[in-house]
Amino acid sequence: MFIFLSFISLGFFLFLYSFFSFILHRVHSTSRTGHDNDHGPPTHPIIGCLISFYKNRHRLLDWYTDLLSKSPTQTVVVHRLGARRIVVTANPANVEYMLKTNFSNFPKGTPFTEILGDLLGHGIFNVDGELWSTQRKLASHEFSTKSLREFVVKTLEDEVDHRLIPLLEEAAGSNKVLDLQEILRRFAFDTICKVSLGTDPSCLDLNRAVPPLVKAFDSASEISAMRSMAPVFWFWKIKRALNLGSEKQLKDALRLVHGSVLEIIRNKRRILEEDRENRYCESDLLSRMLLAGHEEEVVRDMVISFIMAGRDTTSSAMTWLFWLLSKYPNQKELIVKELNSVLENGEKQLDFETLKEMKFVKACLCESMRLYPPVAWDSKHALQGDTLPDGTPIGKGDRVTYFPYGMGRMEELWGKDWFEFNPGRWFDEPGGIEGGGELKLVSPFKFPVFQAGPRVCLGKEMAFTQMKYVVARILRRFEIVPVCEDRPVFVPLLTGHMAGGFKVMVRTRSS
């Protein structure tokens, strides 16, 4: 059966190759359509930019960045086979127009929600209109409560003290090589499960097998992301309809994810009903949503969205920060200096208030996310025809993508030293690095790693709290030394990660 299907696939692609070769033979020059392709990739009749897209499939981020940097407006138009016209922009004025000024005309849209719909269902990150608005109000209320903030810090303290620090100490004592990216992902999964579900998957216990739920989440998120990056946009739909290959794997993974989360929800509901006297003491998000009376499937989709966002984004940002600090040791020592000052050399506790004082740590995290944003790009779809502030025409149904990865690499936005890891750029005055200045109010439309406008990330402050806490605890106690000197490769799936992991040695920091 496998061989038979392989021959079918081979024959299909040979047919495509022959067809495209015939078309190209008949077309002697690239077709340009005025404004559309002045600075976009070469576009041909029928097949669009398939040739260029396929050639650059292993470096899509840098390919788009190169195209945008050569465009006077930092905007290009891309025509892909089987997909709607795509406008890609790194222009802050366009980003503000999409995410705020004319927000109502740029929802996520059906083409986007289809890609993630099997995984995220009707969760807050994958819906528009009234359903999004209702969930947004619910989540906004819960994320703003003091009790949740205190619960998050307490969860971090428990996970770091009892799992992360002992694990790093053991590695330092035995000269063991660790994959820090994997460790931080496990840590983040434990933390977000405790905060969102009130359950403890114990992923940081390396003596235990990785829970099936974790593997299923990984598989489902990777396959869902690959749908949007396929050279032929609709090919994944054919595979899903025939239940073949990666789409069959996705279906199996989702059965486990949805089933496991639903089981947790039902157990939690039973506990809350049986213990009515103490149920209002529950602090996790799942308990709060169930007590508010929301339906099981809505709660499931919201919780899955929170887990996906809370695990991969923070672990990605911290992984890249630790790598950058290994290349810029002076900046690392400035972090340690700030930590010792804020904590008065260990006299004060690392709590929510002291975390807020860590301005240089926050600047380092922002600078790391500028270069390696956890979410490399995000798309909306126009409800009606429109025109972006830079003059780019938008047709009804067009996909409009803003591109944080490319924006962080635009000389027009960040200067000639955009390629440098320079946390000082986030302060009003250079002296702020030494602790005397204030952080700049950088436009979220220039730095849209947490989105902006009505859809700005509700978990932004929670994410900074978690990242600052972990970075502070690790750097005050340990040196992180990469095993390999080569520059790692940034891989953009639903969230960006480091190809092959981040292999490090851990050393105890001298006092």
Side-chain angles (χ1 to χ4, degrees), residues 143-154:
F143 273 88
S144 63
T145 59
K146 181 181 178 182
S147 58
L148 180 62
R149 185 179 70 197
E150 292 173 345
F151 180 57
V152 168
V153 175
K154 177 69 174 63

Side-chain angles (χ1 to χ4, degrees), residues 333-352:
E333 293 310 314
L334 286 173
I335 288 182
V336 175
K337 181 178 179 181
E338 179 183 66
L339 298 177
N340 289 331
S341 174
V342 168
L343 298 175
E344 297 178 359
N345 291 314
E347 295 297 320
K348 293 176 69 174
Q349 291 290 324
L350 188 61
D351 55 23
F352 187 78

